[in-house]
Amino acid sequence: MGSEYNRNQTAMNTARAPLPPPLPCLYLVTPEPGNRLTDFIQQLELSLIAGIRLVQFRAKTLAPAAYEKLAIEVLACCRRHGAILLLNADPQLVDAIGADGVHLDGMRLAACQNRPLAAGKLISAACHSLEQLKKAETIAADMATLSPVLPTASHPEAPLLGWEGFRALAAQTTLPVYALGGMNVRLLENARENGAYGVAGIQAFWGGFKNT
């Protein structure tokens, strides 16, 4: 009986957080904010008005204090529209500002040995390989982005998965996988036919939907 109890406790400790029913199929990754922060929030607002309900706030060029300050504004904007906000930052910041979860980049994913947030918060993981998808499963992530599928302006030199490569990898994970790289709204059906849960993008979803 003791061993069964221990197994149950381990399962509880590694279980993924319950997902919102259901996760949105469109996933916005914000571009770098630059120096015009008011314009950044206005463009985010337009994305949310267009229907985006899952946002990853990514701002690698900002210092931690500046990132946190802008993240609070981004969160307020998301709350006005009932959107989920994931921070591409230290997981501790999620609880500090009350965001909905974290997106782990490759370095943070590699460094994680356990689920970095409690149940009730979401964890997204950036993946480019089967090894990374399996690592995301190991830490009980809730979803993953898998990229790059098609040519993308943000990483023009990166080797492409293509739909065949994407489909092969997505079939080997239990996680909901978002296709990333060259995506737009018109590709959602194609992505789903190839095993994606949804599509993620930057410019195609920023400031409203763009089909190119």
Side-chain angles (χ1 to χ4, degrees):
M1 180 170 181
S3 61
E4 181 178 353
Y5 174 81
N6 290 337
R7 285 196 299 271
N8 290 339
Q9 286 298 107
T10 300
M12 290 173 61
N13 290 339
T14 58
R16 293 199 294 271
L19 302 179
L23 278 169
C25 60
L26 302 178
Y27 182 173
L28 167 66
V29 181
T30 66
E32 290 296 324
N35 297 320
R36 300 169 65 91
L37 301 186
T38 299
D39 288 350
F40 180 84
I41 294 297
Q42 288 175 346
Q43 291 298 305
L44 173 60
E45 189 99 41
L46 290 173
S47 302
L48 296 168
I49 289 170
I52 289 292
R53 291 296 178 267
L54 177 59
V55 176
Q56 178 198 140
F57 176 40
R58 183 183 187 278
K60 297 292 188 179
T61 58
L62 292 183
Y67 180 96
E68 180 174 354
K69 182 178 179 180
L70 186 54
I72 292 170
E73 293 187 50
V74 170
L75 178 60
C77 190
C78 288
R79 288 288 180 265
R80 289 195 294 272
H81 294 273
I84 297 166
L85 177 62
L86 308 179
L87 303 182
N88 190 321
D90 188 323
Q92 292 183 350
L93 187 59
V94 171
D95 290 325
I97 72 166
D100 301 296
V102 69
H103 178 76
L104 301 173
D105 62 18
M107 290 182 64
R108 288 194 174 98
L109 176 61
C112 275
Q113 299 304 314
N114 299 290
R115 182 179 171 89
L117 294 173
K121 298 292 186 179
L122 294 171
I123 298 173
S124 171
C127 298
H128 310 282
S129 67
L130 181 60
E131 180 183 7
Q132 288 176 316
L133 286 169
K134 292 304 179 183
K135 178 62 182 288
E137 288 181 0
T138 298
I139 64 164
D142 300 294
M143 67 192 91
T145 59
L146 182 56
S147 67
V149 182
L150 301 178
T152 172
S154 59
H155 297 86
E157 305 302 323
L160 301 179
L161 293 170
W163 285 121
E164 184 177 353
F166 177 90
R167 183 172 61 252
L169 291 176
Q172 297 179 73
T173 181
T174 59
L175 297 175
V177 177
Y178 288 83
L180 175 63
M183 294 297 107
N184 59 54
V185 177
R186 291 190 302 174
L187 290 172
L188 176 59
E189 183 176 351
N190 193 16
R192 285 179 160 171
E193 290 173 352
N194 283 281
Y197 179 89
V199 293
I202 304 176
Q203 293 301 331
F205 299 157
W206 186 240
F209 297 138
K210 306 172 185 69
N211 290 326
T212 56

